[in-house]
Amino acid sequence: MANIQYYDVILKPVITEKSMGLMADKKYTFLVHPEANKTQIKEAVEKMFAGTKVKSVNTMNQDGKTKRRGMTYGKTAKTKKAIVALTEESAEIEIFQGL
């Protein structure tokens, strides 16, 4: 496994209706590095966003979709999503404010 630093773990937030609904329960969804594990994701969130305390991390791997262009077939890249639940006394994550 590659040496992944905490700033390489979180790639971008996921902005969907379902993820916006989870924010009321202090659960945030991120696209993460495919080789990152739950402890690395927890460490990255706590270091990148001041005042946050992670309660739990749920991850899911998604296979690439099969796409076709003319006669040739290919696959898009695999992705990994993480749903991070914060504790009750934890601060909110600022990047989701105003959405």
Side-chain angles (χ1 to χ4, degrees):
M1 187 166 113
N3 186 14
I4 304 171
Q5 300 297 323
Y6 75 91
Y7 46 81
D8 293 328
V9 173
I10 295 177
L11 301 178
K12 64 180 183 178
V14 176
I15 310 295
T16 60
E17 282 188 48
K18 188 172 183 178
S19 66
M20 290 295 146
L22 289 174
M23 284 179 16
D25 300 330
K26 284 200 168 185
K27 293 183 179 180
Y28 299 92
T29 308
F30 297 100
L31 235 70
V32 295
H33 192 280
E35 294 182 9
N37 57 29
K38 290 182 180 186
T39 55
Q40 289 173 330
I41 295 168
K42 177 181 177 178
E43 178 184 318
V45 169
E46 289 178 349
K47 283 186 177 180
M48 291 177 76
F49 307 108
T52 58
K53 192 76 173 148
V54 176
K55 180 168 65 171
S56 66
V57 177
N58 295 344
T59 60
M60 59 196 84
N61 289 310
Q62 296 177 325
D63 286 335
K65 294 181 180 179
T66 304
K67 298 285 186 173
R68 193 179 100 180
R69 183 170 181 177
M71 297 281 293
T72 59
Y73 286 89
K75 280 194 163 271
T76 59
K78 296 183 212 176
T79 58
K80 186 172 191 174
K81 285 198 307 190
I83 299 175
V84 178
L86 302 180
T87 60
E88 293 299 320
E89 61 272 358
S90 175
E92 303 260 333
I93 295 179
E94 292 83 21
I95 60 170
F96 289 101
Q97 297 295 330
L99 294 178

